[in-house]
């Protein structure tokens, strides 16, 4: 028999008294969007960050995990009256874009540790109580990081080393190996320390 003359069989009809098929179970891709908010699985907590803009008692931005999409988070500006917010991935890849928002909409507010220190010193001078540089304080009154910056500056000056050595990956790896809790500084911060100690 020629196979071209064979007609396809019609679909089987459900048997008499047979119950209809159950609806397909929701998958992981659409269960979050289908369930009402009170039944959605709560997003895991966000990892701790040391970024200046997102840390501290009064951060410039706050982060909020999204229950409807566990791979995203929302960041919000903390300045009063500002409605700036943005949905991004759960990991921070950089803070340059957020610095631009502050410089454009909130000028004068520090966006890094160096600007914050300079801001405090300006306010102290304007108030008539200038701050004493940690270089001029006794060793016992200096913090661990301040003592490290003092010794680092002495080591570089006395050995006639380039300030860029502190930005070298090998130098950072050595300091992290010797003291992981010590806060490393950049060449720009080292240059400011030099001016504070010897030029001012």
């Amino acid at each position: 028999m020629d196979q071209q003359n064979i007609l396809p069989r019609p679909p089987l009809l459900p048997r008499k008294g047979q119950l209809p098929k159950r609806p397909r179970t929701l998958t992981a891709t659409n269960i979050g969007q289908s369930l009402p908010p009170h039944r959605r699985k709560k997003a895991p907590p966000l990892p701790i960050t040391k970024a200046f803009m997102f840390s501290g008692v009064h951060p410039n931005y706050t982060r909020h995990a999204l229950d409807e999409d566990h791979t995203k988070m929302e960041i919000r500006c903390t300045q009063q009256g500002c409605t700036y917010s943005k949905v991004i991935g759960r990991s921070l890849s950089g803070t340059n874009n957020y610095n631009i928002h502050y410089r454009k909409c909130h000028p004068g507010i520090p966006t890094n540790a160096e600007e914050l220190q300079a801001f405090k010193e300006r306010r102290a001078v304007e108030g008539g109580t200038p701050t004493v540089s940690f270089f001029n304080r006794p060793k016992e009154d200096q913090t661990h990081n301040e003592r490290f910056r003092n010794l680092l500056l002495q080591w570089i000056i006395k050995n006639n080393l380039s300030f860029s050595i502190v930005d070298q990956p090998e130098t950072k790896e050595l300091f992290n190996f010797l003291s992981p809790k010590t806060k490393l500084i950049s060449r720009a911060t080292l240059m400011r320390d030099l001016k504070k100690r010897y030029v001012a």
Side-chain angles (χ1 to χ4, degrees):
M1 181 181 295
D2 191 358
Q3 295 183 356
Q4 295 181 354
N5 297 331
I6 299 177
L7 299 177
R9 294 182 178 181
L12 296 175
L13 298 176
R15 297 179 182 178
K16 187 176 182 180
Q18 185 180 8
L19 296 176
K21 292 184 178 181
R22 291 182 297 176
R24 184 173 296 177
T25 306
L26 294 174
T27 60
T29 57
N30 59 11
I31 189 170
Q33 292 81 0
S34 301
L35 292 176
H38 68 279
R39 291 191 58 193
R40 292 176 187 167
K41 187 177 180 181
K42 189 173 180 61
L46 295 170
I48 298 175
T49 179
K50 295 182 179 179
F52 178 87
M53 303 285 283
F54 296 86
S55 60
V57 181
H58 302 290
N60 293 352
Y61 292 98
T62 55
R63 302 178 300 153
H64 307 270
L66 300 180
D67 293 337
E68 58 268 22
D69 189 349
H70 295 182
T71 64
K72 303 287 185 181
M73 68 176 176
E74 182 184 8
I75 62 169
R76 302 171 188 167
C77 179
T78 58
Q79 299 305 316
Q80 186 175 5
C82 183
T83 59
Y84 177 83
S85 65
K86 187 177 181 181
V87 176
I88 61 173
R90 284 176 61 93
S91 60
L92 291 171
S93 57
T95 59
N96 288 335
N97 292 335
Y98 315 124
N99 292 344
I100 293 174
H101 166 71
Y102 261 75
R103 288 169 186 159
K104 181 179 179 181
C105 301
H106 312 293
I109 297 179
T111 58
N112 54 55
E114 289 78 11
E115 291 181 4
L116 178 60
Q117 182 62 29
F119 177 76
K120 289 180 179 179
E121 292 177 359
R122 277 198 312 271
R123 291 190 62 179
V125 171
E126 293 171 358
T129 55
T131 57
V132 178
S133 173
F134 65 84
F135 293 112
N136 300 324
R137 295 202 300 264
K139 297 178 182 179
E140 309 81 50
D141 297 337
Q142 296 180 11
T143 65
H144 174 78
N145 287 325
E146 290 173 348
R147 185 66 181 148
F148 166 73
R149 288 167 64 173
N150 201 342
L151 294 174
L152 178 63
L153 184 61
Q154 293 181 24
W155 172 63
I156 288 180
I157 293 175
K158 290 186 177 180
N159 292 277
N160 197 24
L161 300 175
S162 172
F163 280 28
S164 62
I165 194 173
V166 297
D167 293 330
Q168 298 296 326
E170 295 80 8
T171 306
K172 294 180 179 180
E173 186 176 0
L174 174 63
F175 289 153
N176 283 325
F177 172 76
L178 295 175
S179 180
K181 295 183 179 180
T182 300
K183 182 179 179 181
L184 304 183
I185 60 175
S186 64
R187 176 178 55 181
T189 303
L190 198 61
M191 290 289 291
R192 283 193 290 269
D193 287 349
L194 175 67
K195 294 178 181 178
K196 289 179 182 179
R197 183 170 184 180
Y198 296 105
V199 178

